[in-house]
Amino acid sequence: MLSWLAAGVAGAGQVENIRLWAAPDHARLVFDLSAASRANVFSLDNPRRLVIDLDDSRLEADVDRLELSGSAISRVRTGVRDGQGLRVVLELEREVEPRHFTLEPNDQYGHRLVVDLEYPGESAVEDPIDPIEAMIREQEIVANRARVGAGGTEVASEPAVTLQQAQPHPRRDIIIAIDPGHGGEDPGAIGPSGVREKDVVMEIARRLQTLVNEAEGFRAVMIRDGDYYVGLRQRTRIAREQKADFFVSIHADAFNSPRPNGSSVYALSQRGATSETAQWLAASENRADLIGGVDGNLSLEDKDEVLRGVLLDLTMTATLNDSLTIGGQVLDQLGRINRLHKSRVEQAGFMVLKSPDIPSLLIETGFISNPDEERRLRDASHQQGLARAIFGGLRDHFQRNPPPASLLAWQRDQNRSTDGNEYRIRPGDTLSEIAARHGVPVAQLKQANELNGDVIRVGQLIRIPRS
């Protein structure tokens, strides 16, 4: 009997390590197992607890070393269950929605049990976009069309000028979604001296975040703001939820030889865009999203299936063209501080580039597998240079092509107004006063702006012809 018990204990699997990553909207607990083990996970109330039972397992890890800060877990308790099983109890500070799954061994890890604690109602980003700003972004194109339709085509019933009060220009920030690749249990590539890709790209991303937030008219949203993993589809989903104008994913390349080096910039391939269009149209949740409108810009509710495909394909094509244009400007800036591995914007089917309505780039900042470049990627001044180059390309593009409701668009219009070629209507203005002020006949002013009557509105931008 004693021999049989000893054999049973010896054959039990071991929990060799427990790792925890805390994100704004969830926490992930990973159990490293010496062998596959069946798990049972269930919740208890009063007080809130999550119980994790592992059959035929014993604990070798030190749970007291777990860093619980930032997670919903206040304490971890363990004990033996039914003689040979392991029970882990998580004492919780808030409501969670648990889910769990097992993973087979790979090159880096053995058997694993993954337990995710989702936080209902929480945003996936630390500092989510303001709801009002989100609404402005969502309605931007619709509002712009309404402003165009309301200006200059109405005929007044009497000669007197009618002033219609308009809302002030929104002057919203341009939202840049910054995605540091990998994270959490996914370290990415590892350099010759042990430098992990997930750490390097986070440093560059934080520097880029600072540059974006310091620039007037721009705001950064971090897709991953700590050492935790975010699914590839979830990364683009977060960018869309935060109404991003642009998405940039930052990585460090690697190869099985230490020789390759240099930076690369990737946009989505045409084949990847085509396959993504098909997937969006095939998935019921995506169809529902399209019917509701993609960021308020693509309403397909009244379109048949064929037309939906055509419109979505056009949207993907326009997004891809913007990505390639911006990618060229970023590549030009990167080439000023680092050798380029590829001299043009490459195209590939990376999952994180597949948002149908957000221009996106994936940037390989350098080869972490190259010893010299690994050293440079760790250098703070080189990281800052890379961040400046990336933002320099983005800023140049948006200064030339600002979204209509953005602060940059408003500043551009103001500059045009002071040039004497255009004028924005202010409260109390009349056509006759504006014409007299600029020394042009009223009839010429109407003709230049295709005005059939005397109706103008506050905020309307009109062109001043040369007298």
Side-chain angles (χ1 to χ4, degrees), residues 366-410:
F367 277 81
I368 201 169
S369 53
N370 179 291
D372 181 60
E373 204 147 57
E374 179 197 34
R375 178 185 54 78
R376 296 187 71 205
L377 286 171
R378 294 178 59 187
D379 181 71
S381 61
H382 185 61
Q383 291 173 356
Q384 187 70 17
L386 291 168
R388 282 201 198 98
I390 295 168
F391 182 55
L394 300 182
R395 183 183 55 217
D396 288 349
H397 171 80
F398 282 111
Q399 284 177 340
R400 292 190 184 100
N401 307 280
S406 66
L407 173 66
L408 267 64
W410 178 82

Side-chain angles (χ1 to χ4, degrees), residues 206-348:
R206 290 199 188 282
R207 294 176 185 278
L208 178 58
Q209 177 190 26
T210 299
L211 291 174
V212 171
N213 286 335
E214 287 178 348
E216 187 180 30
F218 287 89
R219 183 184 159 197
V221 169
M222 294 289 281
I223 300 299
R224 172 172 77 87
D225 205 18
D227 187 15
Y228 52 86
Y229 183 75
V230 180
L232 299 180
R233 286 267 180 200
Q234 176 70 0
R235 295 175 193 244
T236 57
R237 191 176 302 121
I238 292 170
R240 295 186 67 247
E241 288 172 354
Q242 297 301 309
K243 312 302 177 187
D245 295 274
F246 188 81
F247 175 94
V248 55
S249 188
I250 302 175
H251 290 256
D253 220 335
F255 196 64
N256 54 18
S257 163
R259 296 177 61 185
N261 61 84
S263 302
S264 305
V265 175
Y266 287 88
L268 182 63
S269 66
Q270 191 62 54
R271 183 175 179 181
T274 302
S275 65
E276 188 67 7
T277 298
Q279 182 161 336
W280 268 78
L281 290 170
S284 60
E285 65 270 21
N286 290 338
R287 282 205 303 271
D289 202 354
L290 290 173
I291 290 172
V294 178
D295 281 353
N297 302 339
L298 181 62
S299 180
L300 305 179
E301 186 173 9
D302 58 343
K303 310 298 187 293
D304 63 29
E305 200 70 23
V306 174
L307 186 53
R308 288 182 188 181
V310 171
L311 292 177
L312 182 57
D313 188 55
L314 289 172
T315 302
M316 291 287 286
T317 300
T319 300
L320 178 55
N321 288 339
D322 282 346
S323 300
L324 290 169
T325 299
I326 301 171
Q329 293 172 293
V330 171
L331 194 68
D332 178 66
Q333 295 284 338
L334 284 170
R336 300 178 187 183
I337 66 157
N338 198 38
R339 182 182 180 277
L340 296 179
H341 183 64
K342 300 287 186 179
S343 59
R344 62 183 180 86
V345 178
E346 298 292 297
Q347 293 182 255

Side-chain angles (χ1 to χ4, degrees), residues 18 27 32 37 40 60 70 88 105 162 166 210 242 249 255-256 260 284 288 303 341 407 424 432 434 448 458 461 464:
I18 303 178
D32 290 312
S37 178
N40 182 31
E60 293 294 323
V88 179
T162 302
T210 299
Q242 297 301 309
S249 188
F255 196 64
N256 54 18
S284 60
K303 310 298 187 293
H341 183 64
L407 173 66
R424 191 174 294 279
S432 59
I434 294 169
V458 174
L461 192 67
I464 307 298

Side-chain angles (χ1 to χ4, degrees), residues 44-50 90-96:
L44 296 174
D45 294 323
N46 301 318
R48 288 195 184 101
R49 288 153 291 162
L50 187 70
L90 311 180
E91 296 183 3
L92 303 172
E93 295 179 338
R94 57 166 300 160
E95 179 186 359
V96 301

Side-chain angles (χ1 to χ4, degrees), residues 99-151:
R99 66 185 185 96
H100 69 282
F101 55 92
T102 57
L103 294 173
E104 295 293 322
N106 60 19
D107 292 339
Q108 189 169 5
Y109 298 109
H111 290 277
R112 284 152 291 159
L113 167 68
V114 180
V115 180
D116 283 334
L117 312 179
E118 307 283 349
Y119 306 156
E122 289 294 337
S123 172
V125 297
E126 292 280 3
D127 185 20
I129 185 173
D130 181 84
I132 295 177
E133 200 163 329
M135 180 184 65
I136 293 170
R137 168 76 171 106
E138 193 168 301
Q139 297 177 349
E140 183 172 15
I141 298 249
V142 175
N144 187 54
R145 288 173 181 165
R147 284 196 296 273
V148 172

